[in-house]
Amino acid sequence: MCLADTLKLRRQKLADLIHFPVLLWSGQRSSRNFRANTFPFRASSHFLYFAGLPLENAVICLESGKLVLFMDKESPADALWHGASSTREAVAAQIGADAAYPLSKLAGFTEDVATIAAPDPATRLEQSNLLARTVSAQGKDLELTHAIVALRSSHDAAAIAEIRSAIAVTIAAHKAGMVSTPNASVEAQIRAAMEGVILSHNMTCAYNSIVTVHGEVLHNEDYHHAVQPNDLVLADVGAETTTGWASDVTRTWAASGKFSPTQRSLYDVVLDAHDRAIAHIRPGVEYRDVHLLACHAIAEGLAELGILRGNAEDLVEMDAHALFFPHGVGHLLGLDVHDMEDLGDLAGYEAGRTRSDRFGLGYLRLDRPLQAGMVVTIEPGFYQVPAILDDPERRETYRDVVNWDRLADFSDVRGIRIEDDVLVTQTGSEVLTAALPTDADAIQELVMSV
Ligand code: GLY
Ligand code: MN
């Protein structure tokens, strides 16, 4: 199916859900210092979903299945510095627009429209000015938000094909990172090997890469640490296609190629949680239960290693697992790595549900029954986070359930995370990232395959 046909189906589905016009802005670049030196442009994901192309400073109107495109010809200065872009007519033909106008005509299309806030503040201001109101998730805007969540939660074939192509590049990037490690002296060299693969496929990173020997910093964005032979390297790196579809993969490997016995035993605990969580995925299953299953596996594994004391059920009940696995087991994936989290919890949480204030549940990003077409990540981990483990209150709360002396035997493990992207199918699930091994022996072989 061509792009225009895919987009037509998406807007017809939107028209089945809402009966008022919608304006969606792509957004615009913001400058670093002078106007032509800008941060990289990333179009709004809601715009991309219906317009299919990363157009800058464009707007679409969607109504009753029709699409009207608004965009201007670039200025002579933009043409001089950035080159000529496709004409409005050519873009309109490519995306199957029913009409196309310059932006000055937008004012005639504002009656009773709904919209969603664009990511950049300058565009948000334009939205409010044009509509003469604030843009917030209320009234029609909220109805639109719910309709878009319904559509974007369950991916069509074109979306899944895009996610698969992002994943193929991500897998190549992770393999390159593993192979580069024995000769790397700092994290930055491994990052360069991984992002080099992504850039060479003309893709970008779907989020800031995490490539670190300090995996206990969940979103570590420093790359200057020395890589020592007894370190674990945690790499959370994912490519994004040119039309914005994301992937999100984490692997953890031994810098020397070979896990120490302590690293290997904790790696296998995390892998067991990962495997059990994935095995549970199918339509109708509550994602919260997938999370709790992973928590249970972590608690059980840590108890078997003598790090925790007690049975897994009680340990999870008291959130003891969260001392070492403080985040949720994953999230929605699509046009954004944490898909639709710009909408707060409207996408991630079923109506009527709110975030728990429990230590072990507060970072759960998805609390809905799974449905076919969803892509979710599964990413359990084990971390020794000083801010958690050295906190006097937590130490007191968990005084009797943690064997702190035994924990000290595992000081060569700061952070382990294993993350795959999983498509919920009609009858179960498909691990879209399965071509990248998770098994410790297979990972070791890859690292040592230079
Ligand atoms: N890839 C980073 C995250 O899932 O938060
Ligand atoms: Mn993730």
Side-chain angles (χ1 to χ4, degrees), residues 152-155 163 167 206-208 210 218-219 236-240 245-250 277-278 281 286-288 290-291 294 325 327-342 344-345 347-349 355 361-371 373-380 383 417-424 430 432-433:
R152 286 186 52 192
S153 294
S154 198
H155 296 305
I163 293 171
I167 283 172
Y207 50 93
N208 294 336
I210 300 157
L218 300 182
H219 280 180
D236 183 343
V237 175
E240 173 177 299
W245 293 90
S247 57
D248 185 8
V249 172
T250 309
I278 290 177
I281 291 182
E286 289 285 350
Y287 191 76
R288 167 190 278 255
V290 178
H291 171 72
F325 172 37
H327 59 76
V329 77
H331 49 84
L332 290 169
L333 180 79
L335 272 165
D336 281 301
V337 63
H338 284 203
D339 209 26
M340 297 182 280
E341 285 193 19
D342 60 312
D345 282 338
Y349 273 61
R355 293 255 181 163
L361 283 174
Y363 286 114
L364 185 61
R365 297 174 183 279
L366 179 58
D367 186 4
R368 288 172 57 186
L370 296 171
Q371 62 193 66
M374 273 182 177
V375 176
V376 296
T377 68
I378 292 296
E379 49 179 308
Y383 315 90
R417 180 161 66 253
I418 306 170
E419 177 177 30
D420 276 311
D421 302 341
V422 184
L423 170 68
V424 184
E430 179 188 346
L432 299 175
T433 40

Side-chain angles (χ1 to χ4, degrees), residues 33 98 159 184 228 230 234 283 315 333 388 418 424 428 434:
N33 60 340
D98 297 280
Q228 311 284 358
N230 59 342
L234 184 156
L315 290 167
L333 180 79
I388 294 177
I418 306 170
V424 184

